[in-house]
PDB file of all heavy atoms in Angstrom:
ATOM      1  N   ASP A 231     -12.603   2.179  27.413  1.00  0.00           N
ATOM      2  CA  ASP A 231     -13.936   2.515  27.922  1.00  0.00           C
ATOM      3  C   ASP A 231     -14.995   1.778  27.107  1.00  0.00           C
ATOM      4  O   ASP A 231     -16.022   1.357  27.629  1.00  0.00           O
ATOM      5  CB  ASP A 231     -14.197   4.022  27.804  1.00  0.00           C
ATOM      6  CG  ASP A 231     -13.249   4.824  28.678  1.00  0.00           C
ATOM      7  OD1 ASP A 231     -13.020   4.393  29.816  1.00  0.00           O
ATOM      8  OD2 ASP A 231     -12.728   5.849  28.215  1.00  0.00           O
ATOM      9  N   HIS A 232     -14.739   1.684  25.800  1.00  0.00           N
ATOM     10  CA  HIS A 232     -15.701   1.052  24.891  1.00  0.00           C
ATOM     11  C   HIS A 232     -14.958   0.175  23.889  1.00  0.00           C
ATOM     12  O   HIS A 232     -13.827   0.487  23.514  1.00  0.00           O
ATOM     13  CB  HIS A 232     -16.499   2.107  24.106  1.00  0.00           C
ATOM     14  CG  HIS A 232     -17.213   3.080  24.977  1.00  0.00           C
ATOM     15  ND1 HIS A 232     -18.388   2.786  25.627  1.00  0.00           N
ATOM     16  CD2 HIS A 232     -16.907   4.340  25.325  1.00  0.00           C
ATOM     17  CE1 HIS A 232     -18.775   3.825  26.327  1.00  0.00           C
ATOM     18  NE2 HIS A 232     -17.892   4.790  26.168  1.00  0.00           N
ATOM     19  N   VAL A 233     -15.625  -0.888  23.430  1.00  0.00           N
ATOM     20  CA  VAL A 233     -15.071  -1.763  22.395  1.00  0.00           C
ATOM     21  C   VAL A 233     -16.118  -1.921  21.301  1.00  0.00           C
ATOM     22  O   VAL A 233     -17.281  -2.237  21.589  1.00  0.00           O
ATOM     23  CB  VAL A 233     -14.715  -3.158  22.957  1.00  0.00           C
ATOM     24  CG1 VAL A 233     -14.175  -4.064  21.850  1.00  0.00           C
ATOM     25  CG2 VAL A 233     -13.702  -3.033  24.096  1.00  0.00           C
ATOM     26  N   VAL A 234     -15.716  -1.665  20.068  1.00  0.00           N
ATOM     27  CA  VAL A 234     -16.607  -1.890  18.923  1.00  0.00           C
ATOM     28  C   VAL A 234     -16.030  -3.057  18.136  1.00  0.00           C
ATOM     29  O   VAL A 234     -14.894  -2.984  17.651  1.00  0.00           O
ATOM     30  CB  VAL A 234     -16.700  -0.632  18.020  1.00  0.00           C
ATOM     31  CG1 VAL A 234     -17.588  -0.911  16.804  1.00  0.00           C
ATOM     32  CG2 VAL A 234     -17.227   0.558  18.819  1.00  0.00           C
ATOM     33  N   ILE A 235     -16.808  -4.124  18.021  1.00  0.00           N
ATOM     34  CA  ILE A 235     -16.335  -5.335  17.351  1.00  0.00           C
ATOM     35  C   ILE A 235     -16.904  -5.374  15.936  1.00  0.00           C
ATOM     36  O   ILE A 235     -18.105  -5.195  15.735  1.00  0.00           O
ATOM     37  CB  ILE A 235     -16.795  -6.596  18.110  1.00  0.00           C
ATOM     38  CG1 ILE A 235     -16.275  -6.541  19.547  1.00  0.00           C
ATOM     39  CG2 ILE A 235     -16.315  -7.865  17.412  1.00  0.00           C
ATOM     40  CD1 ILE A 235     -16.893  -7.597  20.440  1.00  0.00           C
ATOM     41  N   ILE A 236     -16.030  -5.585  14.962  1.00  0.00           N
ATOM     42  CA  ILE A 236     -16.483  -5.765  13.583  1.00  0.00           C
ATOM     43  C   ILE A 236     -16.378  -7.246  13.262  1.00  0.00           C
ATOM     44  O   ILE A 236     -15.280  -7.796  13.207  1.00  0.00           O
ATOM     45  CB  ILE A 236     -15.609  -4.973  12.577  1.00  0.00           C
ATOM     46  CG1 ILE A 236     -15.448  -3.520  13.015  1.00  0.00           C
ATOM     47  CG2 ILE A 236     -16.192  -5.088  11.180  1.00  0.00           C
ATOM     48  CD1 ILE A 236     -16.717  -2.735  13.071  1.00  0.00           C
ATOM     49  N   SER A 237     -17.515  -7.885  13.063  1.00  0.00           N
ATOM     50  CA  SER A 237     -17.485  -9.315  12.746  1.00  0.00           C
ATOM     51  C   SER A 237     -18.379  -9.556  11.529  1.00  0.00           C
ATOM     52  O   SER A 237     -18.335  -8.779  10.589  1.00  0.00           O
ATOM     53  CB  SER A 237     -17.935 -10.130  13.964  1.00  0.00           C
ATOM     54  OG  SER A 237     -19.232  -9.747  14.354  1.00  0.00           O
ATOM     55  N   ALA A 238     -19.160 -10.604  11.551  1.00  0.00           N
ATOM     56  CA  ALA A 238     -20.009 -10.909  10.402  1.00  0.00           C
ATOM     57  C   ALA A 238     -21.011  -9.771  10.186  1.00  0.00           C
ATOM     58  O   ALA A 238     -21.448  -9.126  11.132  1.00  0.00           O
ATOM     59  CB  ALA A 238     -20.747 -12.217  10.640  1.00  0.00           C
ATOM     60  N   ARG A 239     -21.350  -9.532   8.928  1.00  0.00           N
ATOM     61  CA  ARG A 239     -22.290  -8.448   8.611  1.00  0.00           C
ATOM     62  C   ARG A 239     -23.559  -9.033   8.008  1.00  0.00           C
ATOM     63  O   ARG A 239     -23.507 -10.029   7.286  1.00  0.00           O
ATOM     64  CB  ARG A 239     -21.640  -7.465   7.633  1.00  0.00           C
ATOM     65  CG  ARG A 239     -20.426  -6.771   8.249  1.00  0.00           C
ATOM     66  CD  ARG A 239     -19.765  -5.839   7.253  1.00  0.00           C
ATOM     67  NE  ARG A 239     -19.127  -6.574   6.180  1.00  0.00           N
ATOM     68  CZ  ARG A 239     -19.067  -6.148   4.932  1.00  0.00           C
ATOM     69  NH1 ARG A 239     -19.630  -5.014   4.582  1.00  0.00           N
ATOM     70  NH2 ARG A 239     -18.471  -6.861   4.009  1.00  0.00           N
ATOM     71  N   ILE A 240     -24.678  -8.414   8.314  1.00  0.00           N
ATOM     72  CA  ILE A 240     -25.950  -8.857   7.748  1.00  0.00           C
ATOM     73  C   ILE A 240     -26.576  -7.700   6.978  1.00  0.00           C
ATOM     74  O   ILE A 240     -26.401  -6.535   7.336  1.00  0.00           O
ATOM     75  CB  ILE A 240     -26.934  -9.374   8.830  1.00  0.00           C
ATOM     76  CG1 ILE A 240     -27.173  -8.314   9.905  1.00  0.00           C
ATOM     77  CG2 ILE A 240     -26.443 -10.660   9.448  1.00  0.00           C
ATOM     78  CD1 ILE A 240     -28.259  -8.690  10.888  1.00  0.00           C
ATOM     79  N   PRO A 241     -27.308  -8.010   5.884  1.00  0.00           N
ATOM     80  CA  PRO A 241     -27.908  -6.936   5.092  1.00  0.00           C
ATOM     81  C   PRO A 241     -28.990  -6.196   5.869  1.00  0.00           C
ATOM     82  O   PRO A 241     -29.702  -6.793   6.670  1.00  0.00           O
ATOM     83  CB  PRO A 241     -28.538  -7.671   3.896  1.00  0.00           C
ATOM     84  CG  PRO A 241     -28.116  -9.076   3.981  1.00  0.00           C
ATOM     85  CD  PRO A 241     -27.601  -9.334   5.360  1.00  0.00           C
ATOM     86  N   ASN A 242     -29.094  -4.891   5.612  1.00  0.00           N
ATOM     87  CA  ASN A 242     -30.158  -4.077   6.195  1.00  0.00           C
ATOM     88  C   ASN A 242     -30.857  -3.356   5.049  1.00  0.00           C
ATOM     89  O   ASN A 242     -30.310  -2.405   4.487  1.00  0.00           O
ATOM     90  CB  ASN A 242     -29.565  -3.068   7.190  1.00  0.00           C
ATOM     91  CG  ASN A 242     -30.625  -2.120   7.754  1.00  0.00           C
ATOM     92  OD1 ASN A 242     -31.789  -2.151   7.332  1.00  0.00           O
ATOM     93  ND2 ASN A 242     -30.236  -1.278   8.677  1.00  0.00           N
TER      94      ASN A 242
END
Side-chain angles (χ1 to χ4, degrees):
D231 296 318
H232 304 282
V233 178
V234 178
I235 302 169
I236 310 297
S237 58
R239 296 178 291 145
I240 56 172
N242 176 355

